[in-house]
Amino acid sequence: MSSTPSTATASHPVASPANRNRWRALFVLALTQLVVVLDGTIVNIALPQAQIDLGMTDTERQWVVTAYALAFGSLLLLGGRIADYWGRRRAFMVGMLGFGAASVLGGLAQNNTELIVARGLQGAFAALLAPAALALLTVTFTHGRERNTAFAVFGTVAGAGAAVGLVLGGVLTEFASWRWCLLVNVFFVIVGLVGALLFVTESKAEGDNRYDLLGAITVTLGLGSLVYGFSLAEGGWGTPQTIGFLTAGVILLVLFVVVESKVAQPLLPLRVVVNRVRGGAFLMQAIAGSVMIGAMLYLTFHLQIVLGMAPLVAGLATLPLPIAITAVAPVATRLLASVGPRPLMIVGPVIVAAGLFYLSFITADGGYVAQVLPGMVLLGIGMAFIFIPLQNVALSGIAPHDAGAASATVNAAMQIGGSIGLSIFTAIYVSASTHTAATTPGLPALTAGYSAIFVAAAIAMLAAAVIAVVFIRGPKAELMPEGAPDLVHIG
């Protein structure tokens, strides 16, 4: 009689406590992805009020966004390796605590410097938190339909999180204060910490685990120099400062690649990125990040500054984007199982590009329903087709020892793409709006700048479709493997 319960458990694994905890862990990890992506945009709606309150310049306003994405993206590889070696759940929880503390610091900031520093600290702790969460997802759901479902949920959250941040930011700014766009993270932190303690199993890489300090220094300084150089392009691409920082960034990143090819325990094993399919997925992630972080910022400026929407109304006006992503996600998940990821990753960017081209026709006297709404719906549909397969493909075939590093690369591609995209879009905006202002100042000059950004973003998404055609190749069984190697769990 004592054997009956174990037999039942074996016959019905879905009902087992371990199985139930796996899906509860998915909720916790998806919540983490939401707060990390959300914090890249939640302050966007609040920026006009925060700028007035703290007396920020336009450049300082941009750095409230850039500081988060820059610190996040440049430290992600180190954060991923710390998670691998130190323990993914432990890194997850420390990242959560630090993220919450930085959020409180930002919410209580009394000047622009404190706010920018707090946003940088948020990004630094997110660099520990995010790869730990994605690595935990990778080692918790190892193969088959459950893995596809888990990554579909995670991808939906990643795609919709940026837009959800805009809505939540509008609500909090309208009814409380822009400061609550940062303080609200305390709620997410509490839920994440409790959930991790109850439902998430510790895991880490086994073997000889040594930190690659030279690699960490070169990639962090290289990415930082590159992003800062692009941010200086607002004042001109040919200035000594712009050329100097861009050149230094490229040299340092080349040195990073050399270091990684020599050291025994590299920060980013080159085998993670030289794979054609994964490399293509990382490039697509970077382009998608430039659109979701960079272009969406200027869309919110159009809603508030040109169309005159209050923060709450502007936030609600972005709802069609996450609604479209959420509505299309189940369809994309079914198509993923039947046709594989490649068709989705080709069609998705084309649909997003169509939406961006539509948005490029905005005018100073145009309305939301005619000029903005259809474009946002197309963006949501296209992003669902991109994000549902993207992270699964980017992490396919990854050995458990490299789970944190690969997960960090996925997130780093998104954040660095967003940072560089925002800097480039800002330079394009300044050039286009200044040119138009010479003959037609005021709101028409602003819309000319926004329109130029949307055209540039659309071209970038068409390039992503070409990347999918060239790089995402192979049988569906190879792009979406049904099996995975044995994984190391602790506890």
Side-chain angles (χ1 to χ4, degrees):
M1 292 182 63
S2 61
S3 62
T4 304
S6 60
T7 303
T9 300
S11 302
H12 305 283
V14 174
S16 70
N19 239 307
R20 289 196 299 269
N21 280 349
R22 196 158 66 243
W23 294 107
R24 290 165 181 164
L26 173 62
F27 170 80
V28 175
L29 299 175
L31 179 70
T32 303
Q33 178 71 357
L34 174 63
V35 71
V36 167
V37 176
L38 176 150
D39 259 75
T41 59
I42 191 171
V43 300
N44 290 3
I45 290 287
L47 275 178
Q49 288 197 14
Q51 183 176 14
I52 294 172
D53 191 11
L54 300 180
M56 290 187 289
T57 65
D58 288 348
T59 300
E60 290 167 343
R61 180 187 67 181
Q62 176 190 328
W63 271 98
V64 174
V65 178
T66 302
Y68 177 81
L70 175 56
F72 191 4
S74 61
L75 293 172
L76 266 165
L77 292 176
L78 179 59
R81 265 314 187 213
I82 291 173
D84 278 339
Y85 295 168
W86 194 41
R88 291 157 188 147
R89 187 177 74 162
R90 184 183 299 170
F92 175 91
M93 297 181 69
V94 171
M96 269 286 188
L97 284 171
F99 190 87
S103 299
V104 172
L105 177 63
L108 301 178
Q110 297 302 305
N111 55 61
N112 59 299
T113 301
E114 291 179 5
L115 180 58
I116 292 171
V117 168
R119 289 285 287 168
L121 288 172
Q122 275 188 311
F125 281 104
L128 183 62
L129 172 64
L134 190 51
L136 285 166
L137 183 75
T138 303
V139 300
T140 301
F141 296 91
T142 58
H143 62 276
R145 180 175 296 179
E146 286 189 351
R147 179 183 171 93
N148 291 344
T149 301
F151 273 91
V153 171
F154 211 73
T156 302
V157 170
V164 171
L166 297 175
V167 177
L168 183 58
V171 172
L172 293 172
T173 303
E174 185 80 11
F175 292 110
S177 164
W178 64 266
R179 298 179 181 279
W180 278 100
C181 293
L182 297 162
L183 296 174
V184 70
N185 289 326
V186 174
F187 165 76
F188 293 108
V189 167
I190 293 172
V191 174
L193 287 173
V194 173
L197 284 171
L198 294 177
F199 308 126
V200 177
T201 303
E202 181 64 285
S203 71
K204 67 177 182 178
E206 286 192 333
D208 183 16
N209 298 326
R210 298 177 183 177
Y211 289 105
D212 174 18
L213 295 181
L214 183 57
I217 292 170
T218 52
V219 73
T220 301
L221 293 179
L223 291 173
S225 296
L226 200 63
V227 172
Y228 188 64
F230 278 115
S231 72
L232 293 176
E234 178 183 343
W237 290 97
T239 64
Q241 294 90 340
T242 301
I243 295 174
F245 275 101
L246 290 177
T247 303
V250 172
I251 292 173
L252 284 165
L253 291 178
V254 170
L255 179 59
F256 169 69
V257 173
V258 173
V259 170
E260 298 310 276
S261 67
K262 303 293 185 183
V263 298
Q265 297 289 329
L267 183 68
L268 175 60
L270 295 182
R271 59 182 174 270
V272 171
V273 293
V274 296
N275 175 274
R276 182 185 63 189
V277 173
R278 286 199 296 270
F282 294 146
L283 288 173
M284 293 186 67
Q285 184 86 327
I287 295 173
S290 73
V291 173
M292 294 302 290
I293 296 174
M296 287 300 296
L297 173 64
Y298 283 94
L299 180 59
T300 65
F301 289 165
H302 177 71
L303 295 177
Q304 292 188 76
I305 298 172
V306 177
L307 299 185
M309 293 181 178
L312 173 60
V313 178
L316 294 174
T318 65
L319 269 177
L321 178 58
I323 289 175
I325 292 175
T326 305
V328 175
V331 177
T333 303
R334 288 195 293 271
L335 287 173
L336 180 63
S338 59
V339 303
R342 188 169 187 261
L344 275 64
M345 296 174 74
I346 295 173
V347 172
V350 174
I351 297 174
V352 173
L356 290 165
F357 275 124
Y358 188 94
L359 288 172
S360 71
F361 290 101
I362 56 174
T363 59
D365 57 354
Y368 168 79
V369 174
Q371 292 192 351
V372 178
L373 179 59
M376 292 188 67
V377 172
L378 286 173
L379 254 68
I381 294 171
M383 283 298 178
F385 283 120
I386 295 172
F387 282 116
I388 292 302
L390 186 59
Q391 291 181 332
N392 204 335
V393 170
L395 295 174
S396 65
I398 291 293
H401 192 274
D402 295 331
S407 302
T409 307
V410 174
N411 281 289
M414 180 84 169
Q415 296 301 321
I416 293 299
S419 298
I420 294 175
L422 177 56
S423 299
I424 293 175
F425 293 150
T426 298
I428 292 172
Y429 163 78
V430 170
S431 176
S433 59
T434 301
H435 177 76
T436 303
T439 55
T440 314
L443 295 182
L446 297 181
T447 55
Y450 303 153
S451 178
I453 287 173
F454 296 138
V455 170
I459 294 172
M461 290 309 304
L462 290 178
V466 174
I467 289 171
V469 171
V470 174
F471 288 90
I472 312 300
R473 304 177 68 89
K476 185 179 73 170
E478 292 182 8
L479 297 177
M480 300 285 291
E482 288 298 314
D486 292 335
L487 304 169
V488 178
H489 293 280
I490 299 173

